[in-house]
Amino acid sequence: MHDAYEASPLLKLTVQIESITAYDDNLLIGTRQGHLLMYSVPPKSNDKQELQLLRYGKNFSKKPILQIEVVPEYNLLILLTDNIICVHDLNSATIPQICQLQKTKGATLFVLDVQRTQSLTGEKDITVRLCVAVKRKLQLYEWKVDQFIDFGEELTVPDVPRVLSWCGETVVLGFRGLSYILLDLDGTSKELFPSGKSPEPGITKLSDTSFALGKDSQSILMNTKGELVQHNSVKWPDSPSATAWDDPFLMGIITDTLEVYTLEGCLHIQTIPELNKARLLCRCRKGLVYVASVSQVWCINAVEVTHQIRTLLEQNQFQLALKLTHLSDITEEEKAKKTWKIQTLYAHYLFANKKFAESMEQFFKSGTDPYEVIRLFPDLVSQPTNANETSEHVTTVPILQDRDLEQGLLALIKFLTEVRHKLMGDTQAKDKENEKNSEKDTMKGEKTKNITAVATEQLLKIIDTTLLKCYLQTNDALVAPLLRLNHCHLAESEKTLLKYQKYPELIILYQTKGQHKKALELLEKQSNESDSSLRGTERTIQYLQHLGKDHMDLILKFSGWVLEQDPEQGLRIFMEDVQEVEHLPRPKVLDYLLRCHKDLVITYLEHVVHFWMDNNPLFHNVLVHQYKEKCLAGLNPNASPAEKQNVQHLRQKLQQFLEKSTHYTPETVLVHLPFDCLFEERAIILGRLGRHEQAISIYVNLLNDVPKAIQFCSNVYAKFEGQKNSEKGKNQDGADEVYVTLIKQLLKPDNEGVLVATGCTPENRRTAQPDLETALELLEEHAAKIEPLKALEVLPGNVPIGRIRHFLEASLQNNLNERRRTQILKGLLYAEHLQVQEQRMHYESQSVLLTEFNICPVCKKRFGNQSAFARYANGDIVHYSCQEKKA
């Protein structure tokens, strides 16, 4: 408790006080005898209160003045006497009556609603509305042009109201023995709850949307929707006879005392005694309240706010101190400073009492430096090396352990997370604002921006490093997500993670901070630890895959131990379907594999060529070379059984690659082929070079494999037929005569030393006998693909004509077919030529008559003698220069 108000006797009267009201420095009293007294009550000076009677209307009314209200802006005095509403002019010394509302005859109660607003032009607008209870009816009036006029229809209520209050567009009614009712101006109503055992209902307006309702010995806070504003109610010692709201205090008269409570927390603040038979309570303005009995008036003045705040802080009543600071009349700047100071003290008080969540909420509201909050947890702050470096503002904090420490850290995490989000949001907003700066402010704005960015970065570094330490002590599953997008201090975070042996998280830290070498060294070290989650090569492989081409040296350096330990999986460093892996410099990778891991070259090149479809001749040439080397190693007499068993499979792959790939360099490959083996591969390359005679000679004379020679000829001729006519004309490699060449080799095996030209030594040659039967079969089978004259030239003269009858007939038929096809094509082309000529003559026969009276539809000008013109298909004629303008 503290003294929020001071009470002082104001005056004693010989007449009986029935009603009071006050405004500014004026106090008006209505008596039971019908007198009206108006006093001037200047501010208290030297503990003395000097009163001045301004007006005294002894015969103001013949009946008691039951209720009295004032509208200072219009100098209106509104009172209820003799059960009728009367309106008087306060501006005149005699307070004459302006009007009397005859419809209100029988009135028992009224309430005013004064709305003070300000227009866009700055003019003040005052709206005065009046609600009068006449038996079970409510009459609504509005002040317009010096009189109250009706607005809206009369509203019917279930009983005669005992108390009224007007909140916004809702009238709150209290009845004796019945429930309170909310009545909107459109006639809709909502029943609340009865007033209980109280002799009279009580309504206290708190704002335009909220009010307090009396029930038994408590005041319940509601809003105009009929909902509870707060669940806690103000509990009085007894039912108050009158209440008033002087923000932030709720006052109530209870048996010769004035009780003062707060709404927040419903705390009892003060009891002002010795108010003998007090029954009326009237608030004049903030900090000034009048209390009246039948014959006496007391003035209740608020104690100076600064003194109240000082007392409240001593009593640790920080919330009330904040409320009073907010309501004080000091400047906004001073108010902000005091608010920050009180919030900080409040936060520290809450923390000392282990109310961590509420404490952090206050720290956040006050905008306290996060580092100052972090220092409340000494274990989270790095101790300075020099004792003199410690801050002079260190606050004594409780030693937290076990459950308290966990709760404190969780509250700190929430606080730091909110600060971090706010900081990031403010940074983005400032960046957008800086983009809008004019060019003349660019240099100044850039300097300020840099300073702000550095300060923000430092603060984020402190916050994220602290969050890391908190997560490690509360929920280490959140460490990794934090580190993936962090501003943590590298050295401090590294030290902390090593302390807790969080090696996977340390890898993430190194990765985000660009410390890839440290990360890879740690991965290599942990790969051999049996109890480590980083055991093996998988984590290193994944790390290297995402480094990218800018870190090629690191990739090559640390992939070595992985490839030695697990070659198959290690090769994924260079072959995975990952963007960074695909963009690695492949020649550099190939060079590294050739130097250090030659056995993996073929696997890598097959992936590059077949999966990535790389057409670089380098990779195709090297792949052929590697196949060749492996084949030669397998054909070596000293080769291991595994190599000998695998050689046939490798030769098939080499032959297929030589046949299908079009990107290796056959000349280069041919130079490096051995002369004593791999003859079929040599034949394929010779065929690629267009040296078909040599290739066929190898099939026939060295391999003695006529079917493969026939297949070779079939492939070459099919390729020849697939070429366009223009390409066929340029073809000089004898592809169209490949069958004739084969027949020649069958009839006269290497009679012209063709094998010598291939480089094969004589000892590799086989004795091949002339094979007339096979040659004749070829003639019959492929008659359409062989030139008759050239075939007859190579055939021996002793071949009977009957043996080549089928060939000759087929050849003659082919020639006849070709001649007919040519004749038909000639006729079609001639017919097309005639059609074109007819069309030409049709267009040339059309004429255009153009005179000096013709007008261009585009520019609306006549055609001159020298005008060039254009004619559209629809017959329109325009100037040549206007043709593009015509829509």
Side-chain angles (χ1 to χ4, degrees), residues 374-402:
I374 295 168
R375 289 173 63 212
L376 296 174
F377 301 82
D379 293 341
L380 298 179
V381 182
S382 299
Q383 298 300 326
T385 55
N386 188 348
N388 296 328
E389 293 178 11
T390 56
S391 174
E392 60 183 358
H393 302 292
V394 175
T395 307
T396 303
V397 296
I399 298 174
L400 303 178
Q401 294 178 344
D402 302 331

PDB file of all heavy atoms in Angstrom, residues 374-402:
ATOM      1  N   ILE A 374      22.141 -11.334 -21.247  1.00  0.00           N
ATOM      2  CA  ILE A 374      22.957 -12.554 -21.264  1.00  0.00           C
ATOM      3  C   ILE A 374      23.866 -12.617 -20.048  1.00  0.00           C
ATOM      4  O   ILE A 374      24.122 -13.698 -19.488  1.00  0.00           O
ATOM      5  CB  ILE A 374      23.779 -12.615 -22.574  1.00  0.00           C
ATOM      6  CG1 ILE A 374      22.842 -12.742 -23.785  1.00  0.00           C
ATOM      7  CG2 ILE A 374      24.753 -13.787 -22.561  1.00  0.00           C
ATOM      8  CD1 ILE A 374      23.519 -12.534 -25.109  1.00  0.00           C
ATOM      9  N   ARG A 375      24.315 -11.462 -19.573  1.00  0.00           N
ATOM     10  CA  ARG A 375      25.226 -11.426 -18.422  1.00  0.00           C
ATOM     11  C   ARG A 375      24.553 -11.881 -17.136  1.00  0.00           C
ATOM     12  O   ARG A 375      25.227 -12.127 -16.127  1.00  0.00           O
ATOM     13  CB  ARG A 375      25.778 -10.010 -18.246  1.00  0.00           C
ATOM     14  CG  ARG A 375      26.763  -9.625 -19.348  1.00  0.00           C
ATOM     15  CD  ARG A 375      27.168  -8.188 -19.261  1.00  0.00           C
ATOM     16  NE  ARG A 375      27.870  -7.923 -18.018  1.00  0.00           N
ATOM     17  CZ  ARG A 375      27.813  -6.762 -17.363  1.00  0.00           C
ATOM     18  NH1 ARG A 375      27.054  -5.792 -17.826  1.00  0.00           N
ATOM     19  NH2 ARG A 375      28.499  -6.579 -16.260  1.00  0.00           N
ATOM     20  N   LEU A 376      23.228 -11.991 -17.151  1.00  0.00           N
ATOM     21  CA  LEU A 376      22.544 -12.551 -15.987  1.00  0.00           C
ATOM     22  C   LEU A 376      22.853 -14.039 -15.828  1.00  0.00           C
ATOM     23  O   LEU A 376      22.560 -14.630 -14.789  1.00  0.00           O
ATOM     24  CB  LEU A 376      21.031 -12.349 -16.124  1.00  0.00           C
ATOM     25  CG  LEU A 376      20.547 -10.890 -16.136  1.00  0.00           C
ATOM     26  CD1 LEU A 376      19.052 -10.837 -16.432  1.00  0.00           C
ATOM     27  CD2 LEU A 376      20.844 -10.211 -14.813  1.00  0.00           C
ATOM     28  N   PHE A 377      23.389 -14.651 -16.874  1.00  0.00           N
ATOM     29  CA  PHE A 377      23.804 -16.055 -16.852  1.00  0.00           C
ATOM     30  C   PHE A 377      25.325 -16.082 -17.001  1.00  0.00           C
ATOM     31  O   PHE A 377      25.846 -16.137 -18.122  1.00  0.00           O
ATOM     32  CB  PHE A 377      23.150 -16.844 -17.981  1.00  0.00           C
ATOM     33  CG  PHE A 377      21.649 -16.831 -17.958  1.00  0.00           C
ATOM     34  CD1 PHE A 377      20.935 -15.767 -18.492  1.00  0.00           C
ATOM     35  CD2 PHE A 377      20.950 -17.882 -17.392  1.00  0.00           C
ATOM     36  CE1 PHE A 377      19.545 -15.754 -18.464  1.00  0.00           C
ATOM     37  CE2 PHE A 377      19.559 -17.876 -17.369  1.00  0.00           C
ATOM     38  CZ  PHE A 377      18.860 -16.807 -17.892  1.00  0.00           C
ATOM     39  N   PRO A 378      26.065 -16.011 -15.920  1.00  0.00           N
ATOM     40  CA  PRO A 378      27.532 -15.873 -16.001  1.00  0.00           C
ATOM     41  C   PRO A 378      28.205 -16.969 -16.817  1.00  0.00           C
ATOM     42  O   PRO A 378      29.218 -16.717 -17.467  1.00  0.00           O
ATOM     43  CB  PRO A 378      27.966 -15.933 -14.522  1.00  0.00           C
ATOM     44  CG  PRO A 378      26.756 -15.507 -13.753  1.00  0.00           C
ATOM     45  CD  PRO A 378      25.577 -16.018 -14.528  1.00  0.00           C
ATOM     46  N   ASP A 379      27.650 -18.180 -16.796  1.00  0.00           N
ATOM     47  CA  ASP A 379      28.288 -19.281 -17.533  1.00  0.00           C
ATOM     48  C   ASP A 379      28.217 -19.099 -19.043  1.00  0.00           C
ATOM     49  O   ASP A 379      28.947 -19.773 -19.775  1.00  0.00           O
ATOM     50  CB  ASP A 379      27.618 -20.607 -17.160  1.00  0.00           C
ATOM     51  CG  ASP A 379      27.880 -20.985 -15.705  1.00  0.00           C
ATOM     52  OD1 ASP A 379      28.838 -20.438 -15.128  1.00  0.00           O
ATOM     53  OD2 ASP A 379      27.113 -21.801 -15.151  1.00  0.00           O
ATOM     54  N   LEU A 380      27.327 -18.221 -19.508  1.00  0.00           N
ATOM     55  CA  LEU A 380      27.184 -18.003 -20.949  1.00  0.00           C
ATOM     56  C   LEU A 380      28.102 -16.913 -21.472  1.00  0.00           C
ATOM     57  O   LEU A 380      28.198 -16.710 -22.679  1.00  0.00           O
ATOM     58  CB  LEU A 380      25.732 -17.640 -21.285  1.00  0.00           C
ATOM     59  CG  LEU A 380      24.668 -18.692 -20.956  1.00  0.00           C
ATOM     60  CD1 LEU A 380      23.298 -18.170 -21.337  1.00  0.00           C
ATOM     61  CD2 LEU A 380      24.960 -20.003 -21.672  1.00  0.00           C
ATOM     62  N   VAL A 381      28.753 -16.191 -20.557  1.00  0.00           N
ATOM     63  CA  VAL A 381      29.590 -15.049 -20.953  1.00  0.00           C
ATOM     64  C   VAL A 381      31.042 -15.446 -20.795  1.00  0.00           C
ATOM     65  O   VAL A 381      31.437 -16.004 -19.759  1.00  0.00           O
ATOM     66  CB  VAL A 381      29.279 -13.814 -20.088  1.00  0.00           C
ATOM     67  CG1 VAL A 381      30.116 -12.633 -20.531  1.00  0.00           C
ATOM     68  CG2 VAL A 381      27.802 -13.477 -20.157  1.00  0.00           C
ATOM     69  N   SER A 382      31.841 -15.145 -21.805  1.00  0.00           N
ATOM     70  CA  SER A 382      33.275 -15.430 -21.727  1.00  0.00           C
ATOM     71  C   SER A 382      33.904 -14.531 -20.678  1.00  0.00           C
ATOM     72  O   SER A 382      33.697 -13.315 -20.675  1.00  0.00           O
ATOM     73  CB  SER A 382      33.945 -15.188 -23.082  1.00  0.00           C
ATOM     74  OG  SER A 382      33.380 -16.038 -24.051  1.00  0.00           O
ATOM     75  N   GLN A 383      34.655 -15.124 -19.758  1.00  0.00           N
ATOM     76  CA  GLN A 383      35.280 -14.341 -18.695  1.00  0.00           C
ATOM     77  C   GLN A 383      36.450 -13.553 -19.266  1.00  0.00           C
ATOM     78  O   GLN A 383      37.287 -14.085 -19.993  1.00  0.00           O
ATOM     79  CB  GLN A 383      35.786 -15.272 -17.581  1.00  0.00           C
ATOM     80  CG  GLN A 383      34.669 -16.061 -16.919  1.00  0.00           C
ATOM     81  CD  GLN A 383      33.632 -15.161 -16.277  1.00  0.00           C
ATOM     82  OE1 GLN A 383      33.962 -14.092 -15.775  1.00  0.00           O
ATOM     83  NE2 GLN A 383      32.374 -15.580 -16.313  1.00  0.00           N
ATOM     84  N   PRO A 384      36.570 -12.247 -18.981  1.00  0.00           N
ATOM     85  CA  PRO A 384      37.686 -11.440 -19.475  1.00  0.00           C
ATOM     86  C   PRO A 384      39.005 -11.895 -18.865  1.00  0.00           C
ATOM     87  O   PRO A 384      39.041 -12.358 -17.718  1.00  0.00           O
ATOM     88  CB  PRO A 384      37.323 -10.018 -19.039  1.00  0.00           C
ATOM     89  CG  PRO A 384      36.376 -10.189 -17.897  1.00  0.00           C
ATOM     90  CD  PRO A 384      35.633 -11.463 -18.153  1.00  0.00           C
ATOM     91  N   THR A 385      40.048 -11.788 -19.641  1.00  0.00           N
ATOM     92  CA  THR A 385      41.370 -12.215 -19.173  1.00  0.00           C
ATOM     93  C   THR A 385      41.885 -11.292 -18.090  1.00  0.00           C
ATOM     94  O   THR A 385      42.633 -11.697 -17.212  1.00  0.00           O
ATOM     95  CB  THR A 385      42.355 -12.226 -20.356  1.00  0.00           C
ATOM     96  OG1 THR A 385      42.338 -10.938 -20.975  1.00  0.00           O
ATOM     97  CG2 THR A 385      41.935 -13.256 -21.389  1.00  0.00           C
ATOM     98  N   ASN A 386      41.520 -10.026 -18.128  1.00  0.00           N
ATOM     99  CA  ASN A 386      41.957  -9.054 -17.136  1.00  0.00           C
ATOM    100  C   ASN A 386      40.783  -8.679 -16.258  1.00  0.00           C
ATOM    101  O   ASN A 386      39.710  -8.339 -16.743  1.00  0.00           O
ATOM    102  CB  ASN A 386      42.524  -7.810 -17.847  1.00  0.00           C
ATOM    103  CG  ASN A 386      43.172  -6.849 -16.858  1.00  0.00           C
ATOM    104  OD1 ASN A 386      43.010  -6.995 -15.648  1.00  0.00           O
ATOM    105  ND2 ASN A 386      43.894  -5.888 -17.387  1.00  0.00           N
ATOM    106  N   ALA A 387      40.966  -8.722 -14.966  1.00  0.00           N
ATOM    107  CA  ALA A 387      39.871  -8.413 -14.048  1.00  0.00           C
ATOM    108  C   ALA A 387      39.376  -6.997 -14.206  1.00  0.00           C
ATOM    109  O   ALA A 387      38.215  -6.686 -13.940  1.00  0.00           O
ATOM    110  CB  ALA A 387      40.317  -8.643 -12.602  1.00  0.00           C
ATOM    111  N   ASN A 388      40.251  -6.090 -14.653  1.00  0.00           N
ATOM    112  CA  ASN A 388      39.863  -4.684 -14.817  1.00  0.00           C
ATOM    113  C   ASN A 388      38.920  -4.484 -15.979  1.00  0.00           C
ATOM    114  O   ASN A 388      38.317  -3.433 -16.145  1.00  0.00           O
ATOM    115  CB  ASN A 388      41.117  -3.809 -15.005  1.00  0.00           C
ATOM    116  CG  ASN A 388      42.002  -3.825 -13.769  1.00  0.00           C
ATOM    117  OD1 ASN A 388      41.498  -3.935 -12.658  1.00  0.00           O
ATOM    118  ND2 ASN A 388      43.311  -3.731 -13.979  1.00  0.00           N
ATOM    119  N   GLU A 389      38.764  -5.523 -16.812  1.00  0.00           N
ATOM    120  CA  GLU A 389      37.936  -5.385 -17.999  1.00  0.00           C
ATOM    121  C   GLU A 389      36.455  -5.615 -17.703  1.00  0.00           C
ATOM    122  O   GLU A 389      35.603  -5.371 -18.519  1.00  0.00           O
ATOM    123  CB  GLU A 389      38.376  -6.389 -19.071  1.00  0.00           C
ATOM    124  CG  GLU A 389      39.767  -6.092 -19.621  1.00  0.00           C
ATOM    125  CD  GLU A 389      40.178  -7.135 -20.637  1.00  0.00           C
ATOM    126  OE1 GLU A 389      39.321  -7.934 -21.038  1.00  0.00           O
ATOM    127  OE2 GLU A 389      41.345  -7.158 -21.020  1.00  0.00           O
ATOM    128  N   THR A 390      36.163  -6.103 -16.491  1.00  0.00           N
ATOM    129  CA  THR A 390      34.761  -6.374 -16.182  1.00  0.00           C
ATOM    130  C   THR A 390      33.972  -5.095 -16.111  1.00  0.00           C
ATOM    131  O   THR A 390      34.479  -4.053 -15.703  1.00  0.00           O
ATOM    132  CB  THR A 390      34.660  -7.115 -14.836  1.00  0.00           C
ATOM    133  OG1 THR A 390      35.310  -6.337 -13.840  1.00  0.00           O
ATOM    134  CG2 THR A 390      35.298  -8.485 -14.922  1.00  0.00           C
ATOM    135  N   SER A 391      32.708  -5.188 -16.502  1.00  0.00           N
ATOM    136  CA  SER A 391      31.846  -4.010 -16.558  1.00  0.00           C
ATOM    137  C   SER A 391      31.516  -3.525 -15.161  1.00  0.00           C
ATOM    138  O   SER A 391      31.362  -4.298 -14.216  1.00  0.00           O
ATOM    139  CB  SER A 391      30.558  -4.352 -17.305  1.00  0.00           C
ATOM    140  OG  SER A 391      29.676  -3.270 -17.247  1.00  0.00           O
ATOM    141  N   GLU A 392      31.402  -2.225 -15.037  1.00  0.00           N
ATOM    142  CA  GLU A 392      31.074  -1.639 -13.744  1.00  0.00           C
ATOM    143  C   GLU A 392      29.583  -1.749 -13.448  1.00  0.00           C
ATOM    144  O   GLU A 392      29.134  -1.407 -12.366  1.00  0.00           O
ATOM    145  CB  GLU A 392      31.494  -0.163 -13.726  1.00  0.00           C
ATOM    146  CG  GLU A 392      30.803   0.676 -14.795  1.00  0.00           C
ATOM    147  CD  GLU A 392      31.300   2.105 -14.781  1.00  0.00           C
ATOM    148  OE1 GLU A 392      32.129   2.415 -13.925  1.00  0.00           O
ATOM    149  OE2 GLU A 392      30.840   2.893 -15.625  1.00  0.00           O
ATOM    150  N   HIS A 393      28.797  -2.213 -14.400  1.00  0.00           N
ATOM    151  CA  HIS A 393      27.348  -2.295 -14.215  1.00  0.00           C
ATOM    152  C   HIS A 393      26.891  -3.726 -13.940  1.00  0.00           C
ATOM    153  O   HIS A 393      25.737  -4.058 -14.131  1.00  0.00           O
ATOM    154  CB  HIS A 393      26.636  -1.772 -15.467  1.00  0.00           C
ATOM    155  CG  HIS A 393      27.004  -0.361 -15.799  1.00  0.00           C
ATOM    156  ND1 HIS A 393      26.652   0.695 -15.014  1.00  0.00           N
ATOM    157  CD2 HIS A 393      27.721   0.137 -16.836  1.00  0.00           C
ATOM    158  CE1 HIS A 393      27.123   1.826 -15.551  1.00  0.00           C
ATOM    159  NE2 HIS A 393      27.771   1.501 -16.648  1.00  0.00           N
ATOM    160  N   VAL A 394      27.811  -4.607 -13.519  1.00  0.00           N
ATOM    161  CA  VAL A 394      27.434  -5.994 -13.279  1.00  0.00           C
ATOM    162  C   VAL A 394      26.403  -6.065 -12.160  1.00  0.00           C
ATOM    163  O   VAL A 394      26.579  -5.479 -11.091  1.00  0.00           O
ATOM    164  CB  VAL A 394      28.663  -6.845 -12.921  1.00  0.00           C
ATOM    165  CG1 VAL A 394      28.244  -8.253 -12.545  1.00  0.00           C
ATOM    166  CG2 VAL A 394      29.625  -6.871 -14.088  1.00  0.00           C
ATOM    167  N   THR A 395      25.291  -6.746 -12.397  1.00  0.00           N
ATOM    168  CA  THR A 395      24.207  -6.860 -11.416  1.00  0.00           C
ATOM    169  C   THR A 395      24.339  -8.175 -10.662  1.00  0.00           C
ATOM    170  O   THR A 395      24.659  -9.205 -11.246  1.00  0.00           O
ATOM    171  CB  THR A 395      22.854  -6.817 -12.136  1.00  0.00           C
ATOM    172  OG1 THR A 395      22.811  -5.654 -12.952  1.00  0.00           O
ATOM    173  CG2 THR A 395      21.715  -6.773 -11.134  1.00  0.00           C
ATOM    174  N   THR A 396      24.083  -8.135  -9.374  1.00  0.00           N
ATOM    175  CA  THR A 396      24.095  -9.353  -8.578  1.00  0.00           C
ATOM    176  C   THR A 396      22.911 -10.219  -8.999  1.00  0.00           C
ATOM    177  O   THR A 396      21.768  -9.770  -8.967  1.00  0.00           O
ATOM    178  CB  THR A 396      23.999  -9.020  -7.078  1.00  0.00           C
ATOM    179  OG1 THR A 396      25.064  -8.156  -6.733  1.00  0.00           O
ATOM    180  CG2 THR A 396      24.071 -10.287  -6.246  1.00  0.00           C
ATOM    181  N   VAL A 397      23.202 -11.434  -9.406  1.00  0.00           N
ATOM    182  CA  VAL A 397      22.142 -12.317  -9.912  1.00  0.00           C
ATOM    183  C   VAL A 397      22.134 -13.591  -9.091  1.00  0.00           C
ATOM    184  O   VAL A 397      23.159 -14.004  -8.530  1.00  0.00           O
ATOM    185  CB  VAL A 397      22.375 -12.656 -11.400  1.00  0.00           C
ATOM    186  CG1 VAL A 397      22.273 -11.416 -12.244  1.00  0.00           C
ATOM    187  CG2 VAL A 397      23.731 -13.317 -11.604  1.00  0.00           C
ATOM    188  N   PRO A 398      20.985 -14.237  -9.007  1.00  0.00           N
ATOM    189  CA  PRO A 398      20.914 -15.492  -8.245  1.00  0.00           C
ATOM    190  C   PRO A 398      21.653 -16.606  -8.971  1.00  0.00           C
ATOM    191  O   PRO A 398      21.750 -16.624 -10.192  1.00  0.00           O
ATOM    192  CB  PRO A 398      19.410 -15.772  -8.183  1.00  0.00           C
ATOM    193  CG  PRO A 398      18.846 -15.088  -9.376  1.00  0.00           C
ATOM    194  CD  PRO A 398      19.675 -13.859  -9.567  1.00  0.00           C
ATOM    195  N   ILE A 399      22.196 -17.527  -8.177  1.00  0.00           N
ATOM    196  CA  ILE A 399      22.873 -18.688  -8.759  1.00  0.00           C
ATOM    197  C   ILE A 399      21.801 -19.709  -9.134  1.00  0.00           C
ATOM    198  O   ILE A 399      21.044 -20.179  -8.288  1.00  0.00           O
ATOM    199  CB  ILE A 399      23.871 -19.289  -7.756  1.00  0.00           C
ATOM    200  CG1 ILE A 399      24.950 -18.259  -7.417  1.00  0.00           C
ATOM    201  CG2 ILE A 399      24.504 -20.556  -8.324  1.00  0.00           C
ATOM    202  CD1 ILE A 399      25.907 -18.704  -6.336  1.00  0.00           C
ATOM    203  N   LEU A 400      21.744 -20.023 -10.430  1.00  0.00           N
ATOM    204  CA  LEU A 400      20.694 -20.920 -10.930  1.00  0.00           C
ATOM    205  C   LEU A 400      21.253 -22.318 -11.121  1.00  0.00           C
ATOM    206  O   LEU A 400      22.366 -22.497 -11.649  1.00  0.00           O
ATOM    207  CB  LEU A 400      20.139 -20.391 -12.265  1.00  0.00           C
ATOM    208  CG  LEU A 400      19.587 -18.973 -12.248  1.00  0.00           C
ATOM    209  CD1 LEU A 400      19.118 -18.579 -13.636  1.00  0.00           C
ATOM    210  CD2 LEU A 400      18.453 -18.841 -11.253  1.00  0.00           C
ATOM    211  N   GLN A 401      20.471 -23.306 -10.719  1.00  0.00           N
ATOM    212  CA  GLN A 401      20.880 -24.692 -10.857  1.00  0.00           C
ATOM    213  C   GLN A 401      19.688 -25.548 -11.259  1.00  0.00           C
ATOM    214  O   GLN A 401      18.535 -25.196 -10.995  1.00  0.00           O
ATOM    215  CB  GLN A 401      21.470 -25.216  -9.538  1.00  0.00           C
ATOM    216  CG  GLN A 401      22.773 -24.547  -9.137  1.00  0.00           C
ATOM    217  CD  GLN A 401      23.286 -25.070  -7.803  1.00  0.00           C
ATOM    218  OE1 GLN A 401      22.557 -25.700  -7.058  1.00  0.00           O
ATOM    219  NE2 GLN A 401      24.561 -24.799  -7.512  1.00  0.00           N
ATOM    220  N   ASP A 402      20.010 -26.649 -11.896  1.00  0.00           N
ATOM    221  CA  ASP A 402      19.019 -27.685 -12.218  1.00  0.00           C
ATOM    222  C   ASP A 402      17.790 -27.101 -12.924  1.00  0.00           C
ATOM    223  O   ASP A 402      17.903 -26.483 -13.962  1.00  0.00           O
ATOM    224  CB  ASP A 402      18.615 -28.438 -10.951  1.00  0.00           C
ATOM    225  CG  ASP A 402      19.833 -29.060 -10.275  1.00  0.00           C
ATOM    226  OD1 ASP A 402      20.787 -29.381 -11.009  1.00  0.00           O
ATOM    227  OD2 ASP A 402      19.834 -29.190  -9.042  1.00  0.00           O
TER     228      ASP A 402
END
